[in-house]
Amino acid sequence: AQSVTQLDSQVPVFEEAPVELRCNYSSSVSVYLFWYVQYPNQGLQLLLKYLSGSTLVKGINGFEAEFNKSQTSFHLRKPSVHISDTAEYFCAVSTPGSSNTGKLIFGQGTTLQVKP
Amino acid sequence: KAGVTQTPRYLIKTRGQQVTLSCSPISGHRSVSWYQQTPGQGLQFLFEYFSETQRNKGNFPGRFSGRQFSNSRSEMNVSTLELGDSALYLCASSSQEGDTQYFGPGTRLTVL
């Protein structure tokens, strides 16, 4: 079975500072990896995804993530955060071609709190 | 293209009632997945439909059911509501299996 662990439930950071949100996954088969962001009272917005190819993935709003197969990690980074980045961030995996079709497995989420 | 839409956005029901939620996917998308989001359990997969067929189901009781129509619109139904069913219900659509899922704004269900 697959699982996703987001290592920090809350990450406080000052505006314009860099940030890293950590995500580790467990799977015996190949996975697709995603980061989503959720603002209050809204649905999930896709930030970026790793399907194959280059392990460094760039997404929207200046975010990027690096897939590390040996460490089974997919950490999200941004070099300089803004107040508007305050939100909850979810890491998710899917296992294409398996019996888990159409199913995303999510981590518990990380609340990013950007302080002025 | 218009995004995923969900109706209604907010719903208040009492225990024992049933409820139907609706989801319209992005035009051309044939797969619709449903998720329940609660503070305690996080985001949990309910089921996935593709071309009117349920292909996958999560670990939820039979009170939770769904269907998909020929235009790919999907509905989920919860019968005999319990207080614990209070949650944000999210649907997501994708063009094909394994592809990226795009989420709607959700339906906030409150059971009193």
Side-chain angles (χ1 to χ4, degrees), chain B residues 37-58:
Chain B
Q37 184 178 24
T38 60
Q41 298 299 316
L43 283 151
Q44 295 185 288
F45 172 77
L46 280 156
F47 29 64
E48 186 255 359
Y49 286 86
F50 184 87
S51 293
E52 302 179 66
T53 300
Q54 185 183 92
R55 297 195 302 184
N56 199 3
K57 189 176 190 304

Side-chain angles (χ1 to χ4, degrees), chain A residues 44-67:
Chain A
L44 302 178
Q45 180 183 5
L46 179 70
L47 278 176
L48 47 78
K49 61 186 177 183
Y50 172 79
L51 305 182
S52 64
S54 173
T55 58
L56 183 61
V57 179
K58 294 190 182 299
I60 63 172
N61 301 339
F63 284 95
E64 64 179 32
E66 186 157 18
F67 170 56

Side-chain angles (χ1 to χ4, degrees), chain A residues 4-8 19-25 33-35 47-48 50 55-58 63-69 71-78 89-92 110:
Chain A
V4 177
T5 302
Q6 291 183 241
L7 297 161
D8 305 293
V19 71
E20 178 180 79
L21 305 184
R22 297 180 293 167
C23 172
N24 285 94
Y25 69 92
L33 293 153
F34 306 86
W35 275 99
L47 278 176
L48 47 78
Y50 172 79
T55 58
L56 183 61
V57 179
K58 294 190 182 299
F63 284 95
E64 64 179 32
E66 186 157 18
F67 170 56
N68 188 320
K69 188 174 182 180
Q71 297 188 7
T72 60
S73 67
F74 191 55
H75 301 334
L76 180 70
R77 293 189 285 261
K78 186 170 182 177
Y89 292 78
F90 292 95
C91 180
T110 297

Side-chain angles (χ1 to χ4, degrees), chain B:
Chain B
K1 285 184 180 178
V4 178
T5 59
Q6 293 186 245
T7 56
R9 291 293 311 278
Y10 301 92
L11 208 47
I12 300 175
K13 292 286 187 179
T14 57
R15 280 182 300 172
Q17 288 187 308
Q18 73 165 17
V19 67
T20 300
L21 313 181
S22 180
C23 172
S24 293
I26 292 170
S27 177
H29 284 191
R30 297 166 65 189
S31 171
V32 174
S33 298
W34 288 88
Y35 297 85
Q36 180 195 66
Q37 184 178 24
T38 60
Q41 298 299 316
L43 283 151
Q44 295 185 288
F45 172 77
L46 280 156
F47 29 64
E48 186 255 359
Y49 286 86
F50 184 87
S51 293
E52 302 179 66
T53 300
Q54 185 183 92
R55 297 195 302 184
N56 199 3
K57 189 176 190 304
N59 189 25
F60 278 83
R63 300 185 296 107
F64 292 81
S65 63
R67 59 178 175 169
Q68 187 180 34
F69 302 94
S70 58
N71 62 359
S72 294
R73 189 177 70 86
S74 178
E75 290 180 347
M76 68 163 282
N77 184 78
V78 187
S79 62
T80 319
L81 284 166
E82 300 177 359
L83 295 178
D85 297 333
S86 294
L88 181 67
Y89 290 89
L90 294 161
C91 84
S93 75
S94 62
S95 60
Q96 59 188 15
E97 191 273 323
D99 203 353
T100 304
Q101 294 188 22
Y102 296 92
F103 284 80
T107 295
R108 172 76 62 184
L109 172 65
T110 301
V111 182
L112 302 176

